[in-house]
Amino acid sequence: MFRSVRPYVLQAGLDDPVICYQGAVVADPVTGEFLRHVPIPRPVALEAIDACVAAGFHVNCYVDDLLYVAEVTPEARAYADFQDLEIRPVGDLHAWLAADPTKLVAVGDPDALDGLEAELKPRFAGRLYISKSLPHFLEFAHPDVSKGAGLQFVAERLGFTPAETVACGDGENDRELLDWAGFAVAVANAQPEILARADLVVPSVEDEGVAALLEAFLDSRS
């Protein structure tokens, strides 16, 4: 979410566009303006909500950079506390949703979510981008959305090319990001398919591999 990212970006003194919601939003951290916003069409979102709820999963729904849920469940609490977010319970999400949401997230057991992903990807092929962000989060977005698409938007706006880009990733939702960038980096604890895409593997996230990469780059230019 942009509201989750913005405080850190401003603290770092950055004013370049930031990519949020897996690429569905690119925002100006200074003005708060959404430079790109590709939400899910409401009819498709309602179908996805119904499918997740019928399968027994908690659903997060994001509209206007706010988090809405049917009720405050342990799953909602765990997600919100992880992101330090306010939860807005609205009752039946299907009955409540009147706008095109930016993103949906099903929250639950990782193995159960793997089954839900396998079931829903063919059903929503061409209508939704479906990918895990973390093992217990299955995310749904517009089919034109990915981190790679968000990065391409920023590249065109700022004037750099894939050949001039280094991208770092670890999870399923980083595939398009690494495929777009000219030089792909994975941390050592990344998923196998991400490691296979990498031009370079750095130490794990616990060992601050990305920080080491950035420091090495900066040292090489000093």
Side-chain angles (χ1 to χ4, degrees), residues 25-26 41 49 54 102 138 146 161 166-167 174 176 193:
V25 167
V26 176
I49 289 171
T102 302
L138 181 63
S146 70
T161 67
V166 176
D174 292 320
E176 295 84 0
E193 65 174 313

Side-chain angles (χ1 to χ4, degrees), residues 168 185-189 202-215:
C168 305
V185 178
V187 292
N189 61 299
V202 296
S204 71
V205 62
E206 291 83 4
D207 295 322
E208 301 181 344
V210 175
L213 172 72
L214 296 175
E215 289 169 354

Side-chain angles (χ1 to χ4, degrees), residues 74-88:
E75 292 86 356
R77 188 77 271 160
Y79 182 95
D81 290 347
F82 171 71
Q83 297 284 348
D84 194 22
L85 299 171
E86 180 182 353
I87 306 173
R88 290 169 169 79

Side-chain angles (χ1 to χ4, degrees), residues 7-216:
Y8 299 102
V9 176
L10 295 178
Q11 183 180 358
L14 303 175
D15 58 8
D16 289 323
V18 294
I19 302 168
C20 310
Y21 291 100
Q22 298 218 68
V25 167
V26 176
D28 184 317
V30 178
T31 66
E33 177 189 1
F34 280 15
L35 307 173
R36 165 185 162 95
H37 184 208
V38 188
I40 304 170
R42 178 175 172 272
V44 182
L46 292 175
E47 185 181 346
I49 289 171
D50 290 346
C52 293
V53 171
F57 291 93
H58 167 86
V59 177
N60 289 345
C61 181
Y62 302 81
V63 178
D64 295 331
D65 206 30
L66 299 173
L67 170 58
Y68 296 93
V69 299
E71 59 181 334
V72 180
T73 63
E75 292 86 356
R77 188 77 271 160
Y79 182 95
D81 290 347
F82 171 71
Q83 297 284 348
D84 194 22
L85 299 171
E86 180 182 353
I87 306 173
R88 290 169 169 79
V90 296
D92 183 352
L93 278 174
H94 186 116
W96 169 83
L97 186 62
D100 295 343
T102 302
K103 183 176 75 170
L104 303 171
V105 177
V107 184
D109 173 77
D111 291 336
L113 284 176
D114 287 343
L116 182 67
E117 182 177 14
E119 175 187 345
L120 295 188
K121 272 190 171 180
R123 174 174 170 180
F124 289 98
R127 297 191 294 150
L128 283 175
Y129 173 82
I130 302 176
S131 179
K132 277 191 167 182
S133 53
L134 291 173
H136 42 286
F137 301 147
L138 181 63
E139 310 211 359
F140 302 79
H142 188 284
D144 292 339
V145 163
S146 70
K147 291 184 181 182
L151 181 57
Q152 181 175 343
F153 176 90
V154 172
E156 292 171 352
R157 186 177 180 89
L158 298 185
F160 62 88
T161 67
E164 299 169 297
T165 306
V166 176
C168 305
D170 65 345
E172 179 181 319
N173 62 335
D174 292 320
R175 289 175 299 197
E176 295 84 0
L177 174 71
L178 298 190
D179 289 346
W180 188 89
F183 194 80
V185 178
V187 292
N189 61 299
Q191 294 184 1
E193 65 174 313
I194 300 302
L195 291 169
R197 282 174 156 80
D199 300 300
L200 173 70
V201 177
V202 296
S204 71
V205 62
E206 291 83 4
D207 295 322
E208 301 181 344
V210 175
L213 172 72
L214 296 175
E215 289 169 354

